[in-house]
Amino acid sequence: RVAILVTVVCSLSSHQTAHIMKILSIAVLYKNEEKKDPLALARVEDLFSFSYFTRGTIREHLVFAIRTVAQRTKPGFRQTVSLSDIEYVCHVHVRSNGLVGIVVADEEYPVRVAFSLITDMLNKYTQEFPKWKDTKEDQTATPKFMQDAIEKFQNPKEADKVLKIQQTVDEIKTIMHKNIDDILKRGETLDALMEKSNDLSATSVAFFKTAKKQNQCCKAY
């Protein structure tokens, strides 16, 4: 099965060397029980590795993936969702109060650093936006602390030094690792979800289908 972001990130290998770790996006969402889909609160991305002309489509696929993974992670859980056939994953933590933090990074990026970034990001978000629970619709905030974070955390070793991360092995073991197929509900298909999503334009959906049919998703960008 073609992965949720296969049309988005496979081409990155043509823009950077294989061993450079990369964060594509970090995001904060709100899982409001009154809403079917999680609300977007804030998001920052680093898409400079991609062609300027393809970033819009890439951005739409990232937003779709982030919301889909957030929607299918239960409150109080942390998990890493792998995106089949590509070397990127979604690290997600849904707090019991419905606040969600997500990091989209490559598979080589250290799990403990990714979740430390999420914790730091959510703590700062609640400090800067104490009334976040009053949010009723998607927001487009790009807070400076998140802009600084995605830049600083591109180098996990430096971020590790700054934060003096002290997560134990047991804490890391509590993070569930799943494939994107595992979080889809019975009978659901990725194609059907994309058709119904408000995060994807008709152009992006058509692009995905064409690339999938030609089995050239990894060459699309």
Side-chain angles (χ1 to χ4, degrees):
R1 179 177 293 184
V2 179
I4 197 169
L5 284 182
V6 73
T7 61
V8 176
V9 297
C10 280
S11 64
L12 190 58
S13 60
S14 64
H15 296 280
Q16 65 183 110
T17 58
H19 299 292
I20 296 178
M21 287 179 278
K22 182 73 174 177
I23 295 177
L24 287 186
S25 184
I26 60 177
V28 179
L29 301 92
Y30 174 28
K31 287 194 71 169
N32 186 338
E33 294 181 358
E34 299 176 358
K35 299 284 186 178
K36 177 182 177 182
D37 297 323
L39 294 173
L41 298 180
R43 180 172 51 84
V44 173
E45 60 202 19
D46 183 351
L47 303 181
F48 292 109
S49 299
F50 298 95
S51 163
Y52 173 82
F53 300 102
T54 62
R55 290 175 193 167
T57 300
I58 294 167
R59 184 174 293 112
E60 288 186 8
H61 281 275
L62 276 174
V63 171
F64 169 72
I66 287 169
R67 202 188 303 265
T68 299
V69 171
Q71 183 184 49
R72 286 158 174 74
T73 302
K74 296 179 180 179
F77 281 78
R78 298 185 298 173
Q79 63 182 1
T80 293
V81 180
S82 62
L83 308 172
S84 306
D85 303 325
I86 60 173
E87 298 177 354
Y88 279 79
V89 297
C90 282
H91 303 286
V92 55
H93 180 194
V94 180
R95 290 183 171 178
S96 57
N97 60 5
L99 193 63
V100 184
I102 288 186
V103 170
V104 182
D106 62 30
E107 290 181 338
E108 294 184 357
Y109 198 89
V111 172
R112 68 190 184 95
V113 179
F115 279 96
S116 291
L117 167 53
I118 290 175
T119 298
D120 185 61
M121 176 173 67
L122 294 182
N123 289 343
K124 289 179 178 177
Y125 184 86
T126 55
Q127 291 173 8
E128 189 163 324
F129 301 94
K131 296 184 178 181
W132 60 270
K133 277 197 170 185
D134 294 336
T135 304
K136 302 299 181 183
E137 58 185 20
D138 283 343
Q139 304 296 304
T140 58
T142 57
K144 188 177 185 304
F145 73 85
M146 289 178 65
Q147 296 177 35
D148 293 341
I150 197 171
E151 181 178 349
K152 179 177 71 176
F153 277 83
Q154 291 295 358
N155 185 336
K157 291 184 179 179
E158 289 303 313
D160 207 342
K161 292 178 183 177
V162 173
L163 295 179
K164 297 181 180 178
I165 297 168
Q166 297 294 330
Q167 285 184 305
T168 66
V169 174
D170 287 339
E171 286 177 311
I172 297 300
K173 287 181 178 178
T174 63
I175 299 169
M176 296 183 293
H177 294 262
K178 295 184 177 181
N179 185 279
I180 186 64
D181 296 335
D182 297 332
I183 67 172
L184 296 179
K185 297 177 181 178
R186 179 173 293 182
E188 278 187 329
T189 65
L190 191 57
D191 288 24
L193 286 179
M194 294 178 76
E195 288 281 2
K196 294 185 293 184
S197 174
N198 293 324
D199 294 322
L200 295 170
S201 64
T203 301
S204 291
V205 174
F207 173 87
F208 177 87
K209 289 184 176 180
T210 300
K212 179 180 178 181
K213 185 180 297 183
Q214 297 176 351
N215 196 27
Q216 292 182 337
C217 297
C218 292
K219 302 175 183 178
Y221 293 99

